[in-house]
Structure formats: structure tokens, C-alpha cells
Amino acid sequence: MKKSTLLFLIGLMCSIVTYAQWDQKSNLPALYINTFDGAGIYSKTDYKYCKINYADEEGHITTYDSVQIRGRGNSTWNMPKKPYRIKFNKKEKFLGTGYAKTKKWTLLANAADKTMIRNALTFEMGKFTSLKFNPAAKFVDLILNGYYQGTYQISDQIDVRPHRVNITEQPVPPSDTDDITGGYLLEVDGFRDGNWFSTQYKEAPVRIHYPDEDDIVSAQTEYIRNYVNEFERALVNTDFTDPTTGYRAYVDSASLIDWYICTEVSANIDGFYSTYFYKEQGDPKLYWGPLWDYDIAYNNDYRIRNEQYLSTTVNSLMADIAYSGSKAWVNRMWEDPWFQKLVSKRYEELLNKGLVEYLHRKIDSLTTHLDRSQQLNYERWGINSRVYHEMVLYSSYDQYVSDLKQFITDHCAYLKQAFADRKPIEPTPPFVPENYYYHIVNAKTSKAIDTQESSVMQYSDDPYRESEDWEIKKVGSHFHIINRSTGKALNDPTQGAVGPTTNVGTPLNTAEADETDQRQLWNLIPQGTVGFYNLENVYTQHIANLSGGSFDDYATILSYTSDSRNGESQNRLWYINPNGELPSTPTDIRNIEPEDYALAYNPKSQVLHFGSETPSALTFTANVISANGTQIGAFKASESFSMNALPSGVYIVTWNVSGKTRSAKFLK
């Protein structure tokens, strides 16, 4: 064999061996770190040099030389599976397009979290809300000095730069004419690390992360310390709820509320102990986030155990049980009706957008992605032993994942009621009738006032039951209540001497509608704080009362005593709920807007359609709604809609053109 051929084959073999040396251990990228001295990393303050070979999902190898590595974390640094911080010798797009180009990155071990996804899941939750800056989460298999270390998560270091906390970077050092109102990256930090100060009123330990403590000058330190103290002063003052002089003038409400809700949804007992927030240049608001350090969240820390909370955070608010820090701020905010309403309203919005389902899908996606790697990780570290303060221990990864999903389901259901319970109680407003039929529903039984022949009774609330629909018309300062099915009016037939407490107990009935008959006129008196009304008859001065408080269908409604119990007795209290729009005179709905287009209904074919001399203008969508307000369907104006499968009755078509909502009713 020729020498040149032999050298080529040897070179080829070396190339193959070198490539195989950096192979993937699972479907995840593999991160090979070799320290220059071959020794481990034993310090979280002193960097040592290393070389990194990164094998991506497709097996491509990227080599980084002269990288520095050290330990990181507080409690997590004392765990067997240790977290690290790496620093490249120049700025790198370590995670590719869309991520930061910077020197510093973190390697999270997630050792206290048996699912290893709590941090990544929380970052996804931040994206679901209004929070702007959410750290990256890239999972890898880590091999350190030739030894497999397990599943790790590459994540951003929380600092100021594009694709991280992207606020104004201040000059180093600033001149006397530079604007030093921002940016600042801050943290309420219970560990009191780095460059920190204690606030004036609540003694919250606030760390200044940016400008860096090696770069910040006294004028910047004084400015941001004074500003945070001004915010806190506005929060503790007696006029703290005032929107201009209170704390609201200092906070960005969207990020504040979403950060707080994420803290509660995740049940992070460290959420107030470590709270990031920031201030932009020339902006008076403090912004909240990013979310960081959630490995012991989602019911993963037994230290909250006590009799009151039954060894779980499922039915607990972090505002009640979490560690101190920014908690004093949050609990003061909870005294503000504005904060109470906004938290409850925003949480309802997030639930309606599918927050719980979104988190479940992310859990499924993340755990599927980690499946092979987590098996290797727990071959290395074991899965059923307590590493930190885990709430529960299981023998399989799937059990930990199921526990996490069940907690989210149960805890989010609890929060809905907990937030609603903290909303300010607002008085029932005076009743103002609109263009609806109404169901009049008893507070105790949740059954509606119904009529058969001329009798009046309660019956199970049914949106399709026309005998429960009542039109409520204003007559002077009183109301005339007319049944949809019979056209008769609610009537108090009591005979003899009448007064608020005399000659009571006569069953109510209906009578031919007559607006001049005071027995058919009613006052709707707001009661309590939850949307209840009394029905007070103008003639008798009696209150409509459910006979005996019975839950039975057909229990009668009585003309009854009016006294101090009107706001307390549920038998006398009624909800008044809209149940579909009142119909106008049915029309064939032709020539609604003859200058542009026409809407038509063909009774023979039972088809709705629009017509126009310029069909290209029919770009909007129309909705078809039943008389009780239920949407039946929708169709493009350029198409048609069949009514064949629908029952006879009054229907409404609505659409929006040029920002204006149009509607028409027709009879099928």
C-alpha cells in the first residue's frame, strides 16, 4: 500500500473517531465541556477555562475554545447535579436566530424538579401573557470531562441586551448631561447578593443588576434608589389608591397583573423572594418580569406544610403563604379595589383564552421531547429520592408529570374563585330594561318565574321555554312585566285592605295587560351586592315571594310581607337575566341597504343570501342568531346559508360593515 494512501486512511479513521466522540446521547443536542486542567468545577465565583463541542439535533459539531465556566445558583449549587454559568470569549448567538448574541449563558440542572420542565413551562406561560421578556429554554445532554451529567437546560442570563431585557443601555460612565432615568434592571432579592439597598418603608432588599456594579456611578444608584422609594411611599400612603398620586402612577398595570397571576398560577413560594422588575429611560413606569427560578413552584416544596393549608399549595394564594420580599407590596395592592378587579378580570380573560389547556399542551410537548433524555438522566441520578424539598416522590417520570398537570387543573380552578372572592363588592345598580326578554330567577332555587293559564309559579330555568320569558317595560317610574307566551302581565290580585305587612299570602297571577292598573305595576328594588332585586307591587306594596322557599317545580309565587328582611330572605330575591332580544315586526329583509347590497330570505328554499351589483364588496361575515340569543351559525356574505334544519321562529342576522354593526330579523 502506498504511503500516501495509508496516510489518507489513517486521517479518515481519525476523522471518524473525532466525529463519534461528540455524538448525541438522545434526540437532544449534546454539549461536551472539557476543562483545560481536566478537573471539575468547584467554585461559583471563580471561572476556569474550558473547551465546548456542541452537537446539534442534526449532528453538526460547533467548537468553542477558550470558554470560561463556573458554578451558579444559591440553594441549587449545593445539590449533587450542579448548575453552571458559561462565558464565551466573544459574543455568540449560542441558540441561533431570534435569541441573544452575548457572552454569558446559564446551564440549569433543574435538579429539584423531577419533571425538569417547570422553568421552561413558566417561560411559556410568560409568552401566553403580556410579559415581554421570557428566558430561552433549550434542553441538552451535558457531558463534562467525558462523564455524562444528565439533562440540562441552556437559558439566558437575566441581563440587559437585545432578546433579553431589551431596555436602554446606559453609557459607561455616564456624563453629567446623560439621561440616567433608565434603563435599570432590578430584583427584589431575598439573598441580598451583589449591589443592593433596602427600601425605606418596607425594607425590601432591592438588587441593582444593571448597570453592573462595576460600572454604576453614585448618581445612578441614588436616582434609582430614590425612585423605588418614591414608588413605595406612594404605595404606603393613605391615598395609595389614587390613580395619580398613589402607586398606580409608578407601575405598568399590564406587566404587574400578568407577573402576579403567573406567580399565583405557578404557586411559586419564591415568587416574591426573587422578583425581577425594570425601568426604561424616560418612562415613569416600573415594569415587572422576567419570570425566573420556578423549579420549586407548582406544588414542589413541602416547606409550606401546616394544618391550615393541608400540606399543599393547591388551595392557597402565594400572597398568603409565600416567602417575604415583594409580598408586602402585593398585599398592600390587594387593598386597592382597582387591583382586586383587574386581577380577577385578567385571570378570567386568560382562562377564556385557554390558559390551562395551553399549559397542558406545553407539558405534553416538553415531556415528549425529553423522553429519551430523562431516562438517561434518571439512570444517572435516580428518580425516587428527595434532592431538595420535593412535595411528593414517585417511582416514574410519568407520575411526576401527571401530578404537575393535575395540580395546574385544580389550582387554576381554585384561583378563579379566590380572585373572585377578593373582588370589591359592588352594589346592585338600578334596573334599566333593554331590548330583551328576561328570565326572573329566584336567588335560592335558581328557578325561573313561569306561567300556565293565569297561574304564576317557579319552574326549572330553561332558555327555550317561552313561558319563562318576560318583557319588562318602563311605565313612568314603574315597570310592566308581560309574558312572552301569553301576552298577559304579572299581577297581584290581593283583595281587601292592603299595606306592606297586611293581608299577605295571595298567589300572584297574570291578567290582560293594562298599563293603568297599579296591580300590574312593579318596582324593581336593588338589594344587596350581588345583582338581586325585590319585585314590589305598586298597589299592594307587597314583595314577590317564593312560597315556603320550596325547590319544587310549580311552587307558587306569593304576594308577601315587605319588611327589613327584603335584602336577606332568598325567597324574596330575584336575578333578572337577559334571554334573547325582543323581536321586531318580521320582515322579508329585502333591500336593507339598497344602495350597496340586499339581504334576502327565500321561504321556499329556506336559504339566506346577500345580493349586490358589485359582488366583490361582499367581503364581510354574517352571523345567524336565534331569538333567545344563541348563535346558530355564520356565513360569508358572498355565499349563502341554509335554514332547512332549523325550527320555525324568529331569527336575527347581524354583520359589521365599515365599523358599524347591522342587523335584521325575519320569520322562518
Side-chain angles (χ1 to χ4, degrees):
M1 181 180 293
K2 292 183 179 180
K3 183 177 180 181
S4 60
T5 303
L6 179 61
L7 289 174
F8 170 78
L9 290 174
I10 292 172
L12 179 62
M13 290 173 63
C14 289
S15 175
I16 293 172
V17 169
T18 301
Y19 185 87
Q21 185 178 0
W22 317 122
D23 64 345
Q24 293 171 247
K25 301 300 180 183
S26 68
N27 57 300
L28 300 185
L31 190 66
Y32 287 83
I33 298 179
N34 289 281
T35 58
F36 283 5
D37 62 4
I41 296 100
Y42 304 113
S43 171
K44 68 171 189 172
T45 56
D46 299 327
Y47 281 104
K48 64 166 47 184
Y49 280 97
C50 66
K51 185 175 184 177
I52 292 179
N53 287 281
Y54 178 74
D56 66 18
E57 293 91 333
E58 298 176 356
H60 299 139
I61 311 300
T62 305
T63 300
Y64 304 93
D65 211 341
S66 299
V67 182
Q68 297 181 71
I69 187 169
R70 65 171 175 82
R72 67 166 305 278
N74 290 299
S75 303
T76 53
W77 177 242
N78 298 316
M79 299 177 192
K81 183 186 176 188
K82 297 189 179 300
Y84 302 104
R85 178 182 294 180
I86 56 176
K87 183 169 71 173
F88 295 99
N89 62 3
K90 61 183 181 67
K91 293 179 180 180
E92 299 283 356
K93 277 239 178 221
F94 192 29
L95 296 185
T97 303
Y99 295 95
K101 183 177 183 179
T102 184
K103 293 182 179 181
K104 296 178 181 178
W105 297 83
T106 61
L107 290 174
L108 303 181
N110 293 311
D113 171 15
K114 293 296 197 296
T115 70
M116 297 186 289
I117 66 169
R118 280 174 163 84
N119 276 313
L121 180 65
T122 306
F123 304 158
E124 294 291 347
M125 179 164 55
K127 295 176 186 177
F128 189 81
T129 69
S130 68
L131 298 180
K132 292 182 179 180
F133 310 124
N134 299 287
K138 179 79 170 182
F139 287 96
V140 298
D141 291 311
L142 175 63
I143 300 91
L144 178 61
N145 290 330
Y147 292 95
Y148 175 74
Q149 298 298 309
T151 309
Y152 275 71
Q153 176 187 333
I154 302 174
S155 189
D156 291 296
Q157 177 70 20
I158 303 298
D159 59 10
V160 172
R161 63 189 61 254
H163 296 296
R164 288 191 174 171
V165 181
N166 192 12
I167 57 178
T168 300
E169 296 185 46
Q170 299 193 48
V172 180
S175 69
D176 292 341
T177 59
D178 284 326
D179 183 354
I180 62 169
T181 62
Y184 293 92
L185 176 61
L186 310 167
E187 179 191 9
V188 176
D189 181 9
F191 288 106
R192 293 169 166 79
D193 285 340
N195 180 22
W196 69 278
F197 62 88
S198 182
T199 59
Q200 183 175 354
Y201 302 94
K202 294 294 185 180
E203 298 184 348
V206 176
R207 179 178 178 180
I208 305 173
H209 281 274
Y210 181 86
D212 186 84
E213 63 181 311
D214 293 331
D215 300 327
I216 196 168
V217 299
S218 58
Q220 292 168 311
T221 299
E222 183 178 2
Y223 170 82
I224 194 60
R225 181 175 61 237
N226 289 342
Y227 199 84
V228 174
N229 280 327
E230 286 177 22
F231 151 71
E232 195 178 65
R233 176 194 54 76
L235 183 63
V236 302
N237 276 357
T238 55
D239 64 347
F240 78 106
T241 63
D242 188 285
T244 56
T245 60
Y247 75 99
R248 282 187 246 168
Y250 292 86
V251 299
D252 171 67
S253 60
S255 62
L256 169 66
I257 299 302
D258 281 354
W259 160 78
Y260 173 66
I261 288 175
C262 288
T263 301
E264 290 290 2
V265 168
S266 63
N268 186 10
I269 63 172
D270 272 349
F272 307 130
Y273 194 76
S274 172
T275 301
Y276 279 94
F277 61 114
Y278 54 93
K279 185 184 182 300
E280 180 55 293
Q281 189 176 86
D283 188 336
K285 305 291 188 181
L286 296 171
Y287 292 78
W288 304 79
L291 303 171
W292 183 253
D293 196 11
Y294 280 70
D295 57 333
I296 63 171
Y298 303 94
N299 207 40
N300 192 35
D301 192 314
Y302 64 69
R303 288 175 294 176
I304 54 85
R305 288 185 173 184
N306 57 55
E307 293 181 4
Q308 182 179 0
Y309 296 106
L310 303 176
S311 305
T312 179
T313 56
V314 172
N315 296 328
S316 306
L317 283 180
M318 297 305 99
D320 293 331
I321 68 170
Y323 299 120
S324 298
S326 63
K327 189 168 93 167
W329 294 350
V330 168
N331 280 323
R332 179 61 166 169
M333 293 174 188
W334 264 122
E335 297 176 31
D336 182 2
W338 171 84
F339 186 83
Q340 297 165 4
K341 287 187 284 189
L342 206 54
V343 168
S344 184
K345 178 183 177 183
R346 177 57 173 160
Y347 185 63
E348 289 277 359
E349 290 174 356
L350 293 172
L351 288 182
N352 292 336
K353 282 176 60 180
L355 173 63
V356 175
E357 296 78 10
Y358 174 85
L359 293 176
H360 281 197
R361 288 196 303 272
K362 290 300 179 182
I363 291 171
D364 291 340
S365 175
L366 287 165
T367 53
T368 298
H369 184 57
L370 292 188
D371 184 53
R372 177 57 185 147
S373 182
Q374 64 84 10
Q375 294 177 46
L376 296 173
N377 181 84
Y378 288 115
E379 287 174 11
R380 170 77 170 83
W381 297 107
I383 199 167
N384 59 357
S385 59
R386 182 166 280 113
V387 173
Y388 189 49
H389 300 297
E390 295 96 318
M391 181 75 75
V392 292
L393 294 175
Y394 294 114
S395 59
S396 75
Y397 183 75
D398 288 346
Q399 287 174 297
Y400 288 105
V401 172
S402 295
D403 184 83
L404 173 59
K405 292 176 76 172
Q406 190 61 53
F407 171 78
I408 288 172
T409 298
D410 295 342
H411 186 55
C412 285
Y414 161 78
L415 289 177
K416 181 177 181 179
Q417 187 61 52
F419 290 156
D421 288 345
R422 290 198 173 201
K423 274 199 309 186
I425 298 176
E426 299 178 353
T428 301
F431 181 77
V432 178
E434 299 183 38
N435 192 42
Y436 295 108
Y437 287 117
Y438 292 92
H439 279 203
I440 304 172
V441 180
N442 183 256
K444 180 179 181 180
T445 66
S446 297
K447 294 189 174 185
I449 294 181
D450 198 339
T451 181
Q452 293 184 16
E453 297 180 352
S454 62
S455 298
V456 172
M457 73 289 292
Q458 75 169 1
Y459 197 81
S460 297
D461 190 11
D462 181 349
Y464 299 103
R465 193 173 172 90
E466 292 190 359
S467 57
E468 294 179 355
D469 286 343
W470 300 84
E471 180 182 359
I472 302 179
K473 299 171 62 177
K474 196 76 182 289
V475 177
S477 60
H478 311 302
F479 296 95
H480 202 210
I481 304 175
I482 303 167
N483 187 260
R484 177 182 184 180
S485 178
T486 66
K488 295 183 177 182
L490 186 64
N491 181 73
D492 186 341
T494 302
Q495 300 297 314
V498 291
T501 61
T502 60
N503 203 9
V504 298
T506 302
L508 300 183
N509 64 6
T510 59
E512 294 298 328
D514 180 356
E515 293 182 358
T516 67
D517 186 351
Q518 287 194 329
R519 295 177 183 273
Q520 296 181 20
L521 297 181
W522 300 83
N523 295 318
L524 302 184
I525 303 172
Q527 287 287 3
T529 55
V530 286
F532 293 135
Y533 295 87
N534 293 138
L535 277 64
E536 179 190 62
N537 188 261
V538 171
Y539 177 78
T540 64
Q541 303 173 60
H542 294 170
I543 299 295
N545 183 88
L546 174 62
S547 179
S550 172
F551 282 85
D552 295 338
D553 286 339
Y554 304 111
T556 56
I557 312 299
L558 304 178
S559 171
Y560 206 70
T561 301
S562 178
D563 58 23
S564 60
R565 296 191 63 233
N566 287 350
E568 301 172 6
S569 172
Q570 289 188 319
N571 298 343
R572 310 180 191 184
L573 295 172
W574 306 86
Y575 288 113
I576 303 177
N577 298 330
N579 192 57
E581 291 189 7
L582 293 169
S584 60
T585 303
T587 172
D588 66 358
I589 58 176
R590 295 179 186 277
N591 301 319
I592 300 299
E593 290 185 343
E595 69 279 7
D596 295 322
Y597 53 83
L599 173 62
Y601 173 64
N602 187 326
K604 290 185 178 180
S605 64
Q606 299 186 40
V607 169
L608 280 167
H609 68 93
F610 285 87
S612 176
E613 293 181 1
T614 54
S616 60
L618 299 176
T619 58
F620 53 89
T621 298
N623 300 301
V624 183
I625 302 170
S626 68
N628 66 14
T630 302
Q631 180 163 335
I632 303 301
F635 66 102
K636 293 181 179 179
S638 58
E639 300 173 356
S640 60
F641 185 84
S642 175
M643 302 286 294
N644 274 308
L646 299 173
S648 298
V650 175
Y651 291 88
I652 305 159
V653 182
T654 67
W655 64 96
N656 187 288
V657 176
S658 301
K660 294 183 179 180
T661 299
R662 318 293 174 87
S663 65
K665 297 181 177 68
F666 70 99
L667 181 64
K668 176 181 183 289

